[in-house]
Amino acid sequence: MNIIKKTIIAMSLASGAAFAAGEVSVTIDAAKPGPVINKNVYGQFAEHLGTGIYEGMWVGPNSTQPNTKGWRNDVLGALKELKVPLIRWPGGCFADEYHWREGIGPRGERPVKVNTTWGGVEESNAVGTHEFFDLAELLGADTYVNGNLGTGTNQEMAEWMEYMTSPSKSTLAELRRKNGRDKPFKVDFFAIGNEAWGCGGNMTPAHYTNLYKTAASFVKAPNDNKPKFVASGGTGDDTKWTETLSKEVKGDMMDAISFHYYTIPTGNWEVKGAATGFGEDQWIATMKQTMAIDGMIRKNEAVLDKNDPSKKVGFYVDEWGTWYDVEKGTNAGFLYQQNSLRDAVVAALNFNIFHAHANRVRMTNIAQMVNVLQAMILTDKDKMLLTPTYHAYRMYVPFQDATSLPVALKGNANYSLGKVSVPEVSASAARGKDGKVYLALVNTNPKKAVDVSINVAGTKAGTVRGQVLTADAMDAHNTFAAPQAVKPAPFEAQASGGKLSVKLPAKSVVVVAVE
Ligand code: AHR
């Protein structure tokens, strides 16, 4: 950077405080509150896939593993710390092959099926509707049920909804009572199909849109227990799904359009890249790939703003996260992968992007909660470990239902390797429900710490206090032998001479309260 450019940057600082060469200035405008960051932006996804549910979370009430209503106590305890706001279930691709009647009644009598999508293993149906709602209630989470449009019928979806939500004495509501649940379940969100462009039926947007309208006409719930209805949208750069759905589906029939995007280091589904043991080329490629979601959301928002200017329709990123080559020796259909510091940085970058789109992005669901893709928790029989991604979620808890605040960055350089470049620092701020101003910072550069000056426009910031997540290696991760290798550490700084500066370590995530 030349001297003139540096001088201009220093002079244009909103707070008027000088910042040194090579320093990034972050200014939070606490007087200009933006939209609320819906807590469901921190939603989770639990599919009948690999050991994501069975073994990873569900062991059954008769297990010697300590459990509550069949759900592992150790996993429940860890998830409670994340204040999991929402769980999407039962899929994913699995949802379009799931028949809800097979998952109710005495567990020993439920049909055993083959999970043809994921690994060809036996699906015992031990976890069904009642068990899912038990899990959500144990965690205090909202529920997001994904209906079967692929191999199911509108009647089947309509009857499932009646079974779950009806307070009446109908035969289906009475069946629910016979199965142990008097009060209707609270279904907060209901999706009609999943990835209709792919595993959900290989449809065109127009064909799916017609099927959606028909299904949404018949899947009914009582007015005081009506879920938000979610249409299955597109993926990647394709906006056709958002375009067709937002143009064609009118009125109250659709509350949101879903969107899926996975971060694949190589961008090649055949050879995605390894979860650990990768080089810096794959580190930066992963940063680049994940940050591309910002442009995708923007494009879809532009379409929605044209067709839905009142912003009634939400844009739910109901599947996202890293997707690597599976770990050697594991079932390829189980999508089991390690989770490193890189995943935590990816998670934080995505959170910051989602916050910036809080108006439309009112829900996201990372894929997936336990043992599958970018998981919070990995288990090995009775053992459990928390991944770096878990720690990123834990650090960002104050952003749930917080009010977003504008943040201006000055002097933010690019981190580059070869021809690939990404911004070095990503930042996001919000006023938490406790009234405090929170700031999240990410340093994408794995080799260089960045000096950051923190300003709150109109006031003097005195201290920052919170946590930092970093490690020596780009692929640092937790194992069952060393489950605490990557974990957050306290992070604190105080203003000196009227200036509040911090050193953001290389490859790190920092979340602090600014006071
Ligand atoms: O999360 C794994 C799978 O990825 C989901 O089942 C599907 O919707 C997506 O393709």
Side-chain angles (χ1 to χ4, degrees), residues 81-411:
E81 294 290 310
L82 295 188
K83 304 207 182 306
V84 172
L86 167 89
I87 310 167
R88 175 174 181 241
W89 171 86
C93 298
F94 181 81
D96 278 306
E97 295 192 301
Y98 182 66
H99 298 284
W100 69 272
R101 284 174 198 273
E102 296 173 349
I104 57 169
R107 275 189 287 274
E109 293 169 23
R110 297 181 192 177
V112 176
K113 302 278 292 262
V114 175
N115 188 334
T116 55
T117 312
W118 301 120
V121 293
E122 283 164 14
E123 161 61 54
S124 68
N125 275 306
V127 170
T129 303
H130 293 251
E131 291 78 12
F132 166 65
F133 281 93
D134 280 346
L135 172 66
E137 287 173 7
L138 287 166
L139 293 176
D142 285 358
T143 57
Y144 180 7
V145 176
N146 208 117
N148 176 350
L149 183 73
T151 61
T153 61
N154 291 339
Q155 182 177 358
E156 187 183 0
M157 271 190 280
E159 289 178 352
W160 195 9
M161 187 61 79
E162 182 183 331
Y163 180 87
M164 291 187 286
T165 62
S166 178
S168 74
K169 294 259 185 295
S170 76
T171 302
L172 281 169
E174 290 293 76
L175 180 60
R176 183 190 70 230
R177 291 191 185 94
K178 185 168 156 242
N179 288 331
R181 175 71 177 209
D182 179 20
K183 262 194 340 183
F185 295 116
K186 176 94 177 68
V187 184
D188 296 289
F189 300 88
F190 189 83
I192 293 177
N194 167 72
E195 292 193 352
W197 44 265
C199 66
N202 292 300
M203 303 177 203
T204 62
H207 182 64
Y208 171 75
T209 300
N210 283 332
L211 294 184
Y212 177 87
K213 286 196 276 190
T214 313
S217 306
F218 297 110
V219 182
K220 297 172 190 165
N223 277 336
D224 60 354
N225 191 7
K226 215 186 252 314
K228 290 199 185 314
F229 282 89
V230 185
S232 174
T235 181
D237 276 314
D238 183 3
T239 54
K240 280 197 297 292
W241 291 78
T242 302
E243 180 74 60
T244 312
L245 283 160
S246 59
K247 201 148 91 198
E248 301 296 331
V249 187
K250 301 286 176 218
D252 290 338
M253 290 185 103
M254 179 177 75
D255 296 288
I257 298 172
S258 74
F259 173 78
H260 293 178
Y261 176 65
Y262 284 98
T263 299
I264 294 157
T266 59
N268 173 0
W269 281 95
E270 303 307 313
V271 192
K272 297 183 264 301
T276 55
F278 50 84
E280 194 184 339
D281 56 335
Q282 291 217 354
W283 168 279
I284 194 167
T286 307
M287 301 296 127
K288 186 92 185 165
Q289 296 278 358
T290 213
M291 289 166 100
I293 198 172
D294 187 41
M296 295 168 195
I297 295 174
R298 270 176 213 285
K299 282 188 199 154
N300 282 281
E301 275 175 341
V303 172
L304 285 170
D305 287 349
K306 182 178 57 145
N307 293 339
D308 172 45
S310 62
K311 296 200 181 339
K312 187 190 136 304
V313 177
F315 190 66
Y316 294 172
V317 185
D318 69 6
E319 283 184 34
W320 68 274
T322 52
W323 193 322
Y324 307 125
D325 297 329
V326 295
E327 296 298 326
K328 287 202 176 65
T330 64
N331 184 330
F334 280 16
L335 310 186
Y336 178 81
Q337 62 190 41
Q338 244 302 353
N339 190 294
S340 75
L341 177 67
R342 176 177 61 170
D343 294 86
V345 172
V346 162
L349 288 172
N350 279 275
F351 298 155
N352 291 355
I353 291 168
F354 298 149
H355 296 173
H357 297 281
N359 256 329
R360 285 280 183 196
V361 179
R362 302 168 206 153
M363 178 207 286
T364 90
N365 306 78
I366 191 164
Q368 299 194 7
M369 197 141 75
V370 178
N371 287 340
V372 176
L373 298 175
Q374 191 177 346
M376 309 301 109
I377 291 173
L378 300 179
T379 65
D380 179 15
K381 302 193 181 65
D382 60 343
K383 287 191 283 236
M384 173 196 94
L385 66 79
L386 308 177
T387 65
T389 298
Y390 173 96
H391 293 304
Y393 268 81
R394 176 93 177 77
M395 289 164 70
Y396 271 76
V397 164
F399 284 91
Q400 292 192 21
D401 279 341
T403 303
S404 58
L405 297 172
V407 188
L409 262 68
K410 296 216 168 101

Side-chain angles (χ1 to χ4, degrees), residues 50-73:
T51 53
I53 289 183
Y54 301 114
E55 191 180 315
M57 285 195 278
W58 171 265
V59 286
N62 301 326
S63 170
T64 51
Q65 175 98 9
N67 69 84
T68 306
K69 296 185 170 180
W71 297 99
R72 289 173 68 140
N73 286 351

